[in-house]
Amino acid sequence: MTNSATQLHGLLQQVRAQGTAIGPAWSTVLGAEWDSPDFARRHGEVLRLLAETVDAIACLGDSSTKRRMETYVPRWWTAVMSPRADWLSGHSPSGGVISDSDLDHLASAADILEARLGGTPMAPQVDVLESLATQCSLWETLIPEATELPQALRLALLGHVHHLSWLVANVDVFGPARATQEAHALFGEITVATARVKRSRLPQWRDSLASMFAVLVFLNGLSDGTTDLLEAASDTVNAVTHLITATTDAVTTDAEQGPGQIEAPDREPKTPRDQT
């Protein structure tokens, strides 16, 4: 299973098994020195696993299953944070961070979420996760080259790329769902940023976005093997970036001509398939 609840369950199970004070137990499980920036970063990702679990539960709609799961969320949060415990004291051993019952309910929630949400960013396929590392390397080159983008935007995009690369490298700790959801968010941010990329650079960005789009489709298990996925991804990305650049042109023209209502382009963008 690949969802964040599964990963959170595994981490809490490992912490309980350490049998030491809570702080050293988390330090061992996360592979980071206690009271270090790396520990804070990694434990913060554990909280994100919990947040993603809560978000996934919310996707179940108004059901008795959802309401039952939500009653355990505060206990899972307490297990991650141990707010009343001295994390360095042997009087607060890690074996008591969560009860057997609460841990079992987390495992049950993971099973249900996998069954209901499998093939989505919340419970992705894992066979092409390494391809995300290749995508990160590509964007680590392309983004700095786009000097027409504001420096703040380039730094923000690169920060997101580095975070995704780090999550892929630590997939054994935080799981594929964390990396996949970050990849979806990054894809959206880069797509929007194409509005500021100069036209001579657009073909390379479009090709790279199409490649990333294809990876995300595979991760979500949406490819049925009957179509040329990369070609379909290219068509989709071309259509979206055409709309973005056309809308940007409309905004620029409106700003030059004075106040007025900005209208989206009324012409359907042509894709490679339309032109053949």
PDB file of all heavy atoms in Angstrom, residues 69-107:
ATOM      1  N   MET A  69     -13.507   7.276  11.479  1.00  0.00           N
ATOM      2  CA  MET A  69     -12.068   7.532  11.359  1.00  0.00           C
ATOM      3  C   MET A  69     -11.685   8.848  12.022  1.00  0.00           C
ATOM      4  O   MET A  69     -10.639   8.943  12.686  1.00  0.00           O
ATOM      5  CB  MET A  69     -11.664   7.574   9.886  1.00  0.00           C
ATOM      6  CG  MET A  69     -11.636   6.243   9.172  1.00  0.00           C
ATOM      7  SD  MET A  69     -11.002   6.482   7.486  1.00  0.00           S
ATOM      8  CE  MET A  69     -11.312   4.878   6.788  1.00  0.00           C
ATOM      9  N   GLU A  70     -12.496   9.867  11.822  1.00  0.00           N
ATOM     10  CA  GLU A  70     -12.160  11.197  12.340  1.00  0.00           C
ATOM     11  C   GLU A  70     -12.085  11.231  13.858  1.00  0.00           C
ATOM     12  O   GLU A  70     -11.365  12.067  14.415  1.00  0.00           O
ATOM     13  CB  GLU A  70     -13.177  12.217  11.832  1.00  0.00           C
ATOM     14  CG  GLU A  70     -13.036  12.538  10.354  1.00  0.00           C
ATOM     15  CD  GLU A  70     -14.082  13.497   9.842  1.00  0.00           C
ATOM     16  OE1 GLU A  70     -15.175  13.563  10.452  1.00  0.00           O
ATOM     17  OE2 GLU A  70     -13.832  14.184   8.830  1.00  0.00           O
ATOM     18  N   THR A  71     -12.778  10.336  14.532  1.00  0.00           N
ATOM     19  CA  THR A  71     -12.704  10.329  15.992  1.00  0.00           C
ATOM     20  C   THR A  71     -11.319   9.928  16.497  1.00  0.00           C
ATOM     21  O   THR A  71     -10.959  10.240  17.640  1.00  0.00           O
ATOM     22  CB  THR A  71     -13.751   9.360  16.594  1.00  0.00           C
ATOM     23  OG1 THR A  71     -13.469   8.016  16.165  1.00  0.00           O
ATOM     24  CG2 THR A  71     -15.161   9.750  16.161  1.00  0.00           C
ATOM     25  N   TYR A  72     -10.533   9.253  15.635  1.00  0.00           N
ATOM     26  CA  TYR A  72      -9.202   8.809  16.041  1.00  0.00           C
ATOM     27  C   TYR A  72      -8.103   9.798  15.661  1.00  0.00           C
ATOM     28  O   TYR A  72      -6.965   9.647  16.115  1.00  0.00           O
ATOM     29  CB  TYR A  72      -8.891   7.443  15.415  1.00  0.00           C
ATOM     30  CG  TYR A  72      -9.694   6.326  16.028  1.00  0.00           C
ATOM     31  CD1 TYR A  72     -10.891   5.919  15.446  1.00  0.00           C
ATOM     32  CD2 TYR A  72      -9.275   5.704  17.204  1.00  0.00           C
ATOM     33  CE1 TYR A  72     -11.650   4.909  16.017  1.00  0.00           C
ATOM     34  CE2 TYR A  72     -10.022   4.689  17.778  1.00  0.00           C
ATOM     35  CZ  TYR A  72     -11.216   4.299  17.177  1.00  0.00           C
ATOM     36  OH  TYR A  72     -11.954   3.301  17.750  1.00  0.00           O
ATOM     37  N   VAL A  73      -8.426  10.803  14.858  1.00  0.00           N
ATOM     38  CA  VAL A  73      -7.410  11.746  14.408  1.00  0.00           C
ATOM     39  C   VAL A  73      -6.690  12.432  15.564  1.00  0.00           C
ATOM     40  O   VAL A  73      -5.452  12.532  15.564  1.00  0.00           O
ATOM     41  CB  VAL A  73      -8.019  12.785  13.439  1.00  0.00           C
ATOM     42  CG1 VAL A  73      -7.035  13.922  13.176  1.00  0.00           C
ATOM     43  CG2 VAL A  73      -8.410  12.110  12.117  1.00  0.00           C
ATOM     44  N   PRO A  74      -7.395  12.930  16.598  1.00  0.00           N
ATOM     45  CA  PRO A  74      -6.670  13.559  17.717  1.00  0.00           C
ATOM     46  C   PRO A  74      -5.689  12.613  18.408  1.00  0.00           C
ATOM     47  O   PRO A  74      -4.621  13.038  18.865  1.00  0.00           O
ATOM     48  CB  PRO A  74      -7.800  13.978  18.675  1.00  0.00           C
ATOM     49  CG  PRO A  74      -9.009  14.118  17.798  1.00  0.00           C
ATOM     50  CD  PRO A  74      -8.864  13.043  16.770  1.00  0.00           C
ATOM     51  N   ARG A  75      -6.021  11.329  18.456  1.00  0.00           N
ATOM     52  CA  ARG A  75      -5.119  10.371  19.100  1.00  0.00           C
ATOM     53  C   ARG A  75      -3.878  10.133  18.240  1.00  0.00           C
ATOM     54  O   ARG A  75      -2.777   9.951  18.771  1.00  0.00           O
ATOM     55  CB  ARG A  75      -5.861   9.054  19.349  1.00  0.00           C
ATOM     56  CG  ARG A  75      -7.125   9.227  20.188  1.00  0.00           C
ATOM     57  CD  ARG A  75      -7.814   7.906  20.431  1.00  0.00           C
ATOM     58  NE  ARG A  75      -9.191   8.096  20.878  1.00  0.00           N
ATOM     59  CZ  ARG A  75     -10.028   7.108  21.141  1.00  0.00           C
ATOM     60  NH1 ARG A  75      -9.626   5.848  21.010  1.00  0.00           N
ATOM     61  NH2 ARG A  75     -11.261   7.354  21.539  1.00  0.00           N
ATOM     62  N   TRP A  76      -4.071  10.115  16.919  1.00  0.00           N
ATOM     63  CA  TRP A  76      -2.914   9.960  16.035  1.00  0.00           C
ATOM     64  C   TRP A  76      -2.019  11.193  16.107  1.00  0.00           C
ATOM     65  O   TRP A  76      -0.795  11.071  16.072  1.00  0.00           O
ATOM     66  CB  TRP A  76      -3.385   9.717  14.600  1.00  0.00           C
ATOM     67  CG  TRP A  76      -4.234   8.478  14.448  1.00  0.00           C
ATOM     68  CD1 TRP A  76      -4.212   7.377  15.253  1.00  0.00           C
ATOM     69  CD2 TRP A  76      -5.223   8.232  13.451  1.00  0.00           C
ATOM     70  NE1 TRP A  76      -5.128   6.446  14.821  1.00  0.00           N
ATOM     71  CE2 TRP A  76      -5.771   6.948  13.710  1.00  0.00           C
ATOM     72  CE3 TRP A  76      -5.711   8.950  12.366  1.00  0.00           C
ATOM     73  CZ2 TRP A  76      -6.765   6.390  12.913  1.00  0.00           C
ATOM     74  CZ3 TRP A  76      -6.705   8.397  11.569  1.00  0.00           C
ATOM     75  CH2 TRP A  76      -7.229   7.132  11.844  1.00  0.00           C
ATOM     76  N   TRP A  77      -2.633  12.369  16.221  1.00  0.00           N
ATOM     77  CA  TRP A  77      -1.836  13.597  16.374  1.00  0.00           C
ATOM     78  C   TRP A  77      -1.043  13.549  17.676  1.00  0.00           C
ATOM     79  O   TRP A  77       0.144  13.899  17.711  1.00  0.00           O
ATOM     80  CB  TRP A  77      -2.741  14.828  16.365  1.00  0.00           C
ATOM     81  CG  TRP A  77      -1.990  16.109  16.580  1.00  0.00           C
ATOM     82  CD1 TRP A  77      -1.388  16.882  15.641  1.00  0.00           C
ATOM     83  CD2 TRP A  77      -1.745  16.757  17.839  1.00  0.00           C
ATOM     84  NE1 TRP A  77      -0.780  17.971  16.222  1.00  0.00           N
ATOM     85  CE2 TRP A  77      -0.986  17.921  17.574  1.00  0.00           C
ATOM     86  CE3 TRP A  77      -2.094  16.473  19.165  1.00  0.00           C
ATOM     87  CZ2 TRP A  77      -0.573  18.780  18.578  1.00  0.00           C
ATOM     88  CZ3 TRP A  77      -1.683  17.340  20.160  1.00  0.00           C
ATOM     89  CH2 TRP A  77      -0.928  18.477  19.871  1.00  0.00           C
ATOM     90  N   THR A  78      -1.688  13.112  18.755  1.00  0.00           N
ATOM     91  CA  THR A  78      -0.999  13.003  20.054  1.00  0.00           C
ATOM     92  C   THR A  78       0.158  12.016  19.956  1.00  0.00           C
ATOM     93  O   THR A  78       1.227  12.231  20.544  1.00  0.00           O
ATOM     94  CB  THR A  78      -1.992  12.549  21.152  1.00  0.00           C
ATOM     95  OG1 THR A  78      -3.008  13.537  21.282  1.00  0.00           O
ATOM     96  CG2 THR A  78      -1.278  12.395  22.494  1.00  0.00           C
ATOM     97  N   ALA A  79      -0.011  10.947  19.198  1.00  0.00           N
ATOM     98  CA  ALA A  79       1.059   9.966  19.041  1.00  0.00           C
ATOM     99  C   ALA A  79       2.270  10.578  18.348  1.00  0.00           C
ATOM    100  O   ALA A  79       3.420  10.291  18.710  1.00  0.00           O
ATOM    101  CB  ALA A  79       0.551   8.766  18.239  1.00  0.00           C
ATOM    102  N   VAL A  80       2.019  11.439  17.364  1.00  0.00           N
ATOM    103  CA  VAL A  80       3.125  12.076  16.637  1.00  0.00           C
ATOM    104  C   VAL A  80       3.796  13.154  17.488  1.00  0.00           C
ATOM    105  O   VAL A  80       5.026  13.277  17.492  1.00  0.00           O
ATOM    106  CB  VAL A  80       2.611  12.695  15.316  1.00  0.00           C
ATOM    107  CG1 VAL A  80       3.713  13.503  14.627  1.00  0.00           C
ATOM    108  CG2 VAL A  80       2.100  11.596  14.378  1.00  0.00           C
ATOM    109  N   MET A  81       3.007  13.925  18.229  1.00  0.00           N
ATOM    110  CA  MET A  81       3.530  15.088  18.948  1.00  0.00           C
ATOM    111  C   MET A  81       3.884  14.815  20.403  1.00  0.00           C
ATOM    112  O   MET A  81       4.756  15.486  20.963  1.00  0.00           O
ATOM    113  CB  MET A  81       2.511  16.237  18.887  1.00  0.00           C
ATOM    114  CG  MET A  81       2.258  16.756  17.479  1.00  0.00           C
ATOM    115  SD  MET A  81       3.766  17.333  16.671  1.00  0.00           S
ATOM    116  CE  MET A  81       4.211  18.699  17.742  1.00  0.00           C
ATOM    117  N   SER A  82       3.202  13.857  21.049  1.00  0.00           N
ATOM    118  CA  SER A  82       3.423  13.579  22.483  1.00  0.00           C
ATOM    119  C   SER A  82       3.552  14.884  23.268  1.00  0.00           C
ATOM    120  O   SER A  82       4.583  15.138  23.929  1.00  0.00           O
ATOM    121  CB  SER A  82       4.680  12.726  22.670  1.00  0.00           C
ATOM    122  OG  SER A  82       4.566  11.498  21.986  1.00  0.00           O
ATOM    123  N   PRO A  83       2.533  15.746  23.258  1.00  0.00           N
ATOM    124  CA  PRO A  83       2.672  17.092  23.813  1.00  0.00           C
ATOM    125  C   PRO A  83       2.849  17.136  25.331  1.00  0.00           C
ATOM    126  O   PRO A  83       3.401  18.110  25.849  1.00  0.00           O
ATOM    127  CB  PRO A  83       1.357  17.765  23.400  1.00  0.00           C
ATOM    128  CG  PRO A  83       0.385  16.635  23.231  1.00  0.00           C
ATOM    129  CD  PRO A  83       1.188  15.504  22.695  1.00  0.00           C
ATOM    130  N   ARG A  84       2.416  16.117  26.023  1.00  0.00           N
ATOM    131  CA  ARG A  84       2.506  16.131  27.484  1.00  0.00           C
ATOM    132  C   ARG A  84       3.730  15.384  28.006  1.00  0.00           C
ATOM    133  O   ARG A  84       3.956  15.315  29.209  1.00  0.00           O
ATOM    134  CB  ARG A  84       1.239  15.533  28.093  1.00  0.00           C
ATOM    135  CG  ARG A  84      -0.034  16.301  27.760  1.00  0.00           C
ATOM    136  CD  ARG A  84      -1.248  15.684  28.465  1.00  0.00           C
ATOM    137  NE  ARG A  84      -2.474  16.387  28.137  1.00  0.00           N
ATOM    138  CZ  ARG A  84      -3.239  16.115  27.092  1.00  0.00           C
ATOM    139  NH1 ARG A  84      -2.899  15.125  26.274  1.00  0.00           N
ATOM    140  NH2 ARG A  84      -4.344  16.791  26.868  1.00  0.00           N
ATOM    141  N   ALA A  85       4.511  14.834  27.114  1.00  0.00           N
ATOM    142  CA  ALA A  85       5.647  14.000  27.535  1.00  0.00           C
ATOM    143  C   ALA A  85       6.951  14.772  27.458  1.00  0.00           C
ATOM    144  O   ALA A  85       7.108  15.705  26.667  1.00  0.00           O
ATOM    145  CB  ALA A  85       5.733  12.755  26.659  1.00  0.00           C
ATOM    146  N   ASP A  86       7.899  14.383  28.311  1.00  0.00           N
ATOM    147  CA  ASP A  86       9.275  14.854  28.215  1.00  0.00           C
ATOM    148  C   ASP A  86       9.995  13.943  27.229  1.00  0.00           C
ATOM    149  O   ASP A  86      10.243  12.768  27.499  1.00  0.00           O
ATOM    150  CB  ASP A  86       9.941  14.786  29.597  1.00  0.00           C
ATOM    151  CG  ASP A  86      11.381  15.296  29.573  1.00  0.00           C
ATOM    152  OD1 ASP A  86      11.943  15.451  28.469  1.00  0.00           O
ATOM    153  OD2 ASP A  86      11.938  15.531  30.656  1.00  0.00           O
ATOM    154  N   TRP A  87      10.326  14.473  26.067  1.00  0.00           N
ATOM    155  CA  TRP A  87      10.848  13.654  24.985  1.00  0.00           C
ATOM    156  C   TRP A  87      12.212  13.036  25.300  1.00  0.00           C
ATOM    157  O   TRP A  87      12.632  12.100  24.634  1.00  0.00           O
ATOM    158  CB  TRP A  87      10.954  14.494  23.710  1.00  0.00           C
ATOM    159  CG  TRP A  87       9.647  14.653  22.995  1.00  0.00           C
ATOM    160  CD1 TRP A  87       8.434  14.921  23.556  1.00  0.00           C
ATOM    161  CD2 TRP A  87       9.420  14.522  21.600  1.00  0.00           C
ATOM    162  NE1 TRP A  87       7.461  14.979  22.604  1.00  0.00           N
ATOM    163  CE2 TRP A  87       8.040  14.748  21.377  1.00  0.00           C
ATOM    164  CE3 TRP A  87      10.239  14.265  20.504  1.00  0.00           C
ATOM    165  CZ2 TRP A  87       7.461  14.699  20.110  1.00  0.00           C
ATOM    166  CZ3 TRP A  87       9.669  14.228  19.237  1.00  0.00           C
ATOM    167  CH2 TRP A  87       8.296  14.432  19.048  1.00  0.00           C
ATOM    168  N   LEU A  88      12.908  13.567  26.294  1.00  0.00           N
ATOM    169  CA  LEU A  88      14.236  13.050  26.609  1.00  0.00           C
ATOM    170  C   LEU A  88      14.272  12.254  27.904  1.00  0.00           C
ATOM    171  O   LEU A  88      15.332  11.805  28.331  1.00  0.00           O
ATOM    172  CB  LEU A  88      15.242  14.203  26.680  1.00  0.00           C
ATOM    173  CG  LEU A  88      15.438  14.995  25.377  1.00  0.00           C
ATOM    174  CD1 LEU A  88      16.470  16.105  25.578  1.00  0.00           C
ATOM    175  CD2 LEU A  88      15.868  14.083  24.229  1.00  0.00           C
ATOM    176  N   SER A  89      13.121  12.073  28.500  1.00  0.00           N
ATOM    177  CA  SER A  89      13.064  11.383  29.778  1.00  0.00           C
ATOM    178  C   SER A  89      12.739   9.912  29.603  1.00  0.00           C
ATOM    179  O   SER A  89      11.850   9.543  28.826  1.00  0.00           O
ATOM    180  CB  SER A  89      12.005  12.034  30.681  1.00  0.00           C
ATOM    181  OG  SER A  89      11.797  11.261  31.847  1.00  0.00           O
ATOM    182  N   GLY A  90      13.458   9.088  30.343  1.00  0.00           N
ATOM    183  CA  GLY A  90      13.169   7.664  30.331  1.00  0.00           C
ATOM    184  C   GLY A  90      11.845   7.332  30.985  1.00  0.00           C
ATOM    185  O   GLY A  90      11.342   6.212  30.848  1.00  0.00           O
ATOM    186  N   HIS A  91      11.271   8.308  31.695  1.00  0.00           N
ATOM    187  CA  HIS A  91       9.956   8.094  32.315  1.00  0.00           C
ATOM    188  C   HIS A  91       8.833   8.195  31.290  1.00  0.00           C
ATOM    189  O   HIS A  91       7.678   7.940  31.623  1.00  0.00           O
ATOM    190  CB  HIS A  91       9.722   9.114  33.431  1.00  0.00           C
ATOM    191  CG  HIS A  91      10.693   8.982  34.566  1.00  0.00           C
ATOM    192  ND1 HIS A  91      10.722   7.884  35.400  1.00  0.00           N
ATOM    193  CD2 HIS A  91      11.692   9.798  34.986  1.00  0.00           C
ATOM    194  CE1 HIS A  91      11.682   8.035  36.299  1.00  0.00           C
ATOM    195  NE2 HIS A  91      12.293   9.195  36.073  1.00  0.00           N
ATOM    196  N   SER A  92       9.181   8.615  30.051  1.00  0.00           N
ATOM    197  CA  SER A  92       8.199   8.690  28.960  1.00  0.00           C
ATOM    198  C   SER A  92       8.702   7.839  27.795  1.00  0.00           C
ATOM    199  O   SER A  92       9.134   8.357  26.767  1.00  0.00           O
ATOM    200  CB  SER A  92       8.006  10.147  28.518  1.00  0.00           C
ATOM    201  OG  SER A  92       7.550  10.953  29.564  1.00  0.00           O
ATOM    202  N   PRO A  93       8.672   6.521  27.939  1.00  0.00           N
ATOM    203  CA  PRO A  93       9.227   5.653  26.897  1.00  0.00           C
ATOM    204  C   PRO A  93       8.397   5.690  25.619  1.00  0.00           C
ATOM    205  O   PRO A  93       7.188   5.919  25.636  1.00  0.00           O
ATOM    206  CB  PRO A  93       9.183   4.268  27.540  1.00  0.00           C
ATOM    207  CG  PRO A  93       8.084   4.354  28.540  1.00  0.00           C
ATOM    208  CD  PRO A  93       8.124   5.752  29.067  1.00  0.00           C
ATOM    209  N   SER A  94       9.070   5.437  24.510  1.00  0.00           N
ATOM    210  CA  SER A  94       8.411   5.509  23.210  1.00  0.00           C
ATOM    211  C   SER A  94       7.341   4.439  23.034  1.00  0.00           C
ATOM    212  O   SER A  94       6.440   4.588  22.204  1.00  0.00           O
ATOM    213  CB  SER A  94       9.453   5.382  22.095  1.00  0.00           C
ATOM    214  OG  SER A  94      10.075   4.097  22.134  1.00  0.00           O
ATOM    215  N   GLY A  95       7.433   3.386  23.808  1.00  0.00           N
ATOM    216  CA  GLY A  95       6.440   2.322  23.688  1.00  0.00           C
ATOM    217  C   GLY A  95       5.033   2.769  24.030  1.00  0.00           C
ATOM    218  O   GLY A  95       4.062   2.089  23.684  1.00  0.00           O
ATOM    219  N   GLY A  96       4.925   3.924  24.695  1.00  0.00           N
ATOM    220  CA  GLY A  96       3.598   4.391  25.090  1.00  0.00           C
ATOM    221  C   GLY A  96       3.061   5.514  24.236  1.00  0.00           C
ATOM    222  O   GLY A  96       2.055   6.143  24.607  1.00  0.00           O
ATOM    223  N   VAL A  97       3.675   5.799  23.088  1.00  0.00           N
ATOM    224  CA  VAL A  97       3.210   6.935  22.283  1.00  0.00           C
ATOM    225  C   VAL A  97       1.818   6.700  21.707  1.00  0.00           C
ATOM    226  O   VAL A  97       1.062   7.645  21.465  1.00  0.00           O
ATOM    227  CB  VAL A  97       4.193   7.270  21.136  1.00  0.00           C
ATOM    228  CG1 VAL A  97       5.517   7.770  21.684  1.00  0.00           C
ATOM    229  CG2 VAL A  97       4.387   6.087  20.193  1.00  0.00           C
ATOM    230  N   ILE A  98       1.463   5.440  21.476  1.00  0.00           N
ATOM    231  CA  ILE A  98       0.144   5.127  20.923  1.00  0.00           C
ATOM    232  C   ILE A  98      -0.263   3.738  21.382  1.00  0.00           C
ATOM    233  O   ILE A  98       0.572   2.835  21.515  1.00  0.00           O
ATOM    234  CB  ILE A  98       0.170   5.202  19.374  1.00  0.00           C
ATOM    235  CG1 ILE A  98      -1.250   5.093  18.804  1.00  0.00           C
ATOM    236  CG2 ILE A  98       1.100   4.161  18.769  1.00  0.00           C
ATOM    237  CD1 ILE A  98      -1.323   5.402  17.298  1.00  0.00           C
ATOM    238  N   SER A  99      -1.546   3.562  21.629  1.00  0.00           N
ATOM    239  CA  SER A  99      -2.049   2.269  22.097  1.00  0.00           C
ATOM    240  C   SER A  99      -2.184   1.290  20.932  1.00  0.00           C
ATOM    241  O   SER A  99      -2.238   1.681  19.762  1.00  0.00           O
ATOM    242  CB  SER A  99      -3.415   2.447  22.772  1.00  0.00           C
ATOM    243  OG  SER A  99      -4.388   2.817  21.808  1.00  0.00           O
ATOM    244  N   ASP A 100      -2.276   0.023  21.265  1.00  0.00           N
ATOM    245  CA  ASP A 100      -2.489  -0.997  20.234  1.00  0.00           C
ATOM    246  C   ASP A 100      -3.767  -0.714  19.454  1.00  0.00           C
ATOM    247  O   ASP A 100      -3.805  -0.840  18.230  1.00  0.00           O
ATOM    248  CB  ASP A 100      -2.573  -2.382  20.873  1.00  0.00           C
ATOM    249  CG  ASP A 100      -1.230  -2.878  21.392  1.00  0.00           C
ATOM    250  OD1 ASP A 100      -0.195  -2.409  20.882  1.00  0.00           O
ATOM    251  OD2 ASP A 100      -1.231  -3.737  22.296  1.00  0.00           O
ATOM    252  N   SER A 101      -4.802  -0.335  20.190  1.00  0.00           N
ATOM    253  CA  SER A 101      -6.098  -0.094  19.557  1.00  0.00           C
ATOM    254  C   SER A 101      -6.029   1.064  18.560  1.00  0.00           C
ATOM    255  O   SER A 101      -6.517   0.959  17.427  1.00  0.00           O
ATOM    256  CB  SER A 101      -7.161   0.196  20.623  1.00  0.00           C
ATOM    257  OG  SER A 101      -8.387   0.557  20.025  1.00  0.00           O
ATOM    258  N   ASP A 102      -5.420   2.179  18.969  1.00  0.00           N
ATOM    259  CA  ASP A 102      -5.330   3.344  18.082  1.00  0.00           C
ATOM    260  C   ASP A 102      -4.457   3.061  16.869  1.00  0.00           C
ATOM    261  O   ASP A 102      -4.728   3.538  15.761  1.00  0.00           O
ATOM    262  CB  ASP A 102      -4.782   4.554  18.846  1.00  0.00           C
ATOM    263  CG  ASP A 102      -5.763   5.067  19.892  1.00  0.00           C
ATOM    264  OD1 ASP A 102      -6.959   4.710  19.813  1.00  0.00           O
ATOM    265  OD2 ASP A 102      -5.336   5.807  20.792  1.00  0.00           O
ATOM    266  N   LEU A 103      -3.397   2.261  17.070  1.00  0.00           N
ATOM    267  CA  LEU A 103      -2.532   1.898  15.960  1.00  0.00           C
ATOM    268  C   LEU A 103      -3.272   0.977  14.989  1.00  0.00           C
ATOM    269  O   LEU A 103      -3.142   1.113  13.762  1.00  0.00           O
ATOM    270  CB  LEU A 103      -1.264   1.212  16.482  1.00  0.00           C
ATOM    271  CG  LEU A 103      -0.099   1.071  15.504  1.00  0.00           C
ATOM    272  CD1 LEU A 103       0.388   2.431  15.020  1.00  0.00           C
ATOM    273  CD2 LEU A 103       1.057   0.306  16.163  1.00  0.00           C
ATOM    274  N   ASP A 104      -4.071   0.060  15.533  1.00  0.00           N
ATOM    275  CA  ASP A 104      -4.852  -0.841  14.680  1.00  0.00           C
ATOM    276  C   ASP A 104      -5.886  -0.067  13.867  1.00  0.00           C
ATOM    277  O   ASP A 104      -6.132  -0.387  12.689  1.00  0.00           O
ATOM    278  CB  ASP A 104      -5.560  -1.901  15.532  1.00  0.00           C
ATOM    279  CG  ASP A 104      -4.604  -2.954  16.083  1.00  0.00           C
ATOM    280  OD1 ASP A 104      -3.469  -3.050  15.562  1.00  0.00           O
ATOM    281  OD2 ASP A 104      -4.982  -3.666  17.030  1.00  0.00           O
ATOM    282  N   HIS A 105      -6.492   0.945  14.465  1.00  0.00           N
ATOM    283  CA  HIS A 105      -7.473   1.749  13.733  1.00  0.00           C
ATOM    284  C   HIS A 105      -6.797   2.559  12.616  1.00  0.00           C
ATOM    285  O   HIS A 105      -7.404   2.806  11.572  1.00  0.00           O
ATOM    286  CB  HIS A 105      -8.227   2.671  14.693  1.00  0.00           C
ATOM    287  CG  HIS A 105      -9.341   1.985  15.422  1.00  0.00           C
ATOM    288  ND1 HIS A 105      -9.188   1.446  16.676  1.00  0.00           N
ATOM    289  CD2 HIS A 105     -10.624   1.725  15.061  1.00  0.00           C
ATOM    290  CE1 HIS A 105     -10.329   0.890  17.069  1.00  0.00           C
ATOM    291  NE2 HIS A 105     -11.218   1.044  16.106  1.00  0.00           N
ATOM    292  N   LEU A 106      -5.551   2.960  12.846  1.00  0.00           N
ATOM    293  CA  LEU A 106      -4.811   3.646  11.785  1.00  0.00           C
ATOM    294  C   LEU A 106      -4.533   2.694  10.627  1.00  0.00           C
ATOM    295  O   LEU A 106      -4.647   3.075   9.447  1.00  0.00           O
ATOM    296  CB  LEU A 106      -3.501   4.211  12.348  1.00  0.00           C
ATOM    297  CG  LEU A 106      -2.606   4.975  11.361  1.00  0.00           C
ATOM    298  CD1 LEU A 106      -3.360   6.125  10.695  1.00  0.00           C
ATOM    299  CD2 LEU A 106      -1.363   5.498  12.083  1.00  0.00           C
ATOM    300  N   ALA A 107      -4.199   1.453  10.955  1.00  0.00           N
ATOM    301  CA  ALA A 107      -3.976   0.450   9.905  1.00  0.00           C
ATOM    302  C   ALA A 107      -5.257   0.180   9.128  1.00  0.00           C
ATOM    303  O   ALA A 107      -5.240   0.043   7.891  1.00  0.00           O
ATOM    304  CB  ALA A 107      -3.450  -0.848  10.519  1.00  0.00           C
TER     305      ALA A 107
END
